[in-house]
Amino acid sequence: MKKSLFSLYRIFKFMKDSDIKLSKKMLFLVPVIYLIIPFDFIGDFFPLAGQLDDIAVFVLMWPILKNLLSKYDKGERDLNKSRKKDPDTVDISREDYTVE
């Protein structure tokens, strides 16, 4: 239970982060939207098969979402929005910059 709550917290934190690309956030919504919308690959009126395609979407998306969360926890930059830098801005975070 504790692990599940922590995972939900991580997902919530990921979704609220304004530096994350919207396309990456939408990947978390795909399975939820697919479950909610009435149109499926296999209609829910077919017993068992209709529910299995809903489950299959979650099973197929889980490794992708888990990978995104682990990258987010590590702070990898490929999740972040690309921000255009002002050409007149000096980057002082570089190590070769010294003040004389």
Side-chain angles (χ1 to χ4, degrees):
M1 178 80 172
K2 185 178 179 181
K3 188 176 180 180
S4 297
L5 289 174
F6 183 67
S7 294
L8 286 175
Y9 169 75
R10 288 172 49 209
I11 293 169
F12 183 74
K13 185 177 166 188
F14 179 87
M15 296 298 276
K16 286 197 62 144
D17 193 339
S18 62
D19 290 336
I20 303 298
K21 296 177 189 175
L22 182 61
S23 61
K24 302 295 183 183
K25 290 180 182 181
M26 291 302 291
L27 287 175
F28 278 92
L29 297 178
V30 166
V32 174
I33 291 171
Y34 185 77
L35 185 66
I36 292 172
I37 62 171
F39 306 107
D40 291 343
F41 293 123
I42 301 173
D44 288 338
F45 51 87
F46 291 112
L48 191 64
Q51 288 74 30
L52 284 177
D53 77 324
D54 293 339
I55 293 169
V57 169
F58 279 93
V59 169
L60 292 173
M61 289 297 293
W62 180 246
I64 296 167
L65 301 177
K66 193 173 179 181
N67 186 22
L68 277 177
L69 279 179
S70 67
K71 284 183 177 183
Y72 177 69
D73 290 341
K74 292 177 185 174
E76 293 188 18
R77 293 180 179 253
D78 66 335
L79 298 174
N80 295 345
K81 295 178 184 174
S82 59
R83 294 193 174 144
K84 295 181 181 178
K85 293 184 179 180
D86 184 7
D88 297 328
T89 304
V90 177
D91 185 12
I92 61 170
S93 63
R94 293 181 17 201
E95 294 160 3
D96 60 340
Y97 179 78
T98 57
V99 177
E100 295 178 8

